[in-house]
Amino acid sequence: MRVFKFLIFAVMLTALSACAGKFQTYTGPEVTKVIVEKERRMMHLLHHDKVLRSYTIGLGFAPNGHKTRQGDGRTPTGHYVINRRNPNSKFHLSIGISYPNANDLARAR
């Protein structure tokens, strides 16, 4: 019985370590802020006030202005949180982000 438990534990540990290797690691300066310029469709990763990297991003078909209803093509302004990672994506650093909460949307207006 003891050997069986050890074998199950070893299999689980091996499976978990295989999943962990799918994520790439980042060893640069800490990203302290992400700024999105909707008009230019650009995203900037910052370490305090220094831009570390900038990316072109995709947004809705009419991202500028305040989001008023579903389907208006506008991108809501507010604070987002990274809430999931996808190691099986064909895009090597695929992440999921939250939707801004009601307080953020009210402040943006």
Side-chain angles (χ1 to χ4, degrees):
M1 186 65 169
R2 210 173 205 203
V3 173
F4 180 71
K5 285 183 181 178
F6 177 76
L7 183 60
I8 294 294
F9 177 73
V11 168
M12 288 174 48
L13 190 59
T14 303
L16 288 174
S17 65
C19 289
K22 291 183 179 183
F23 291 114
Q24 291 191 359
T25 58
Y26 172 72
T27 58
E30 178 185 14
V31 176
T32 57
K33 187 183 282 187
V34 177
I35 296 184
V36 173
E37 294 180 82
K38 293 194 302 184
E39 301 82 19
R40 294 183 57 213
R41 296 177 186 252
M42 294 293 296
M43 177 180 72
H44 309 284
L45 304 181
L46 285 78
H47 175 72
H48 300 293
D49 293 329
K50 180 184 178 196
V51 176
L52 300 172
R53 192 96 189 251
S54 296
Y55 299 92
T56 303
I57 59 171
L59 298 171
F61 60 85
N64 299 334
H66 301 297
K67 184 150 190 79
T68 57
R69 61 182 169 72
Q70 184 176 353
D72 66 6
R74 295 183 176 158
T75 302
T77 301
H79 292 92
Y80 291 81
V81 175
I82 295 173
N83 59 12
R84 65 189 175 281
R85 295 171 70 183
N86 181 4
N88 297 317
S89 171
K90 57 184 174 177
F91 304 100
H92 72 284
L93 293 177
S94 170
I95 58 171
I97 59 171
S98 66
Y99 200 79
N101 65 36
N103 292 334
D104 291 334
L105 294 174
R107 269 186 290 202
R109 290 186 179 160

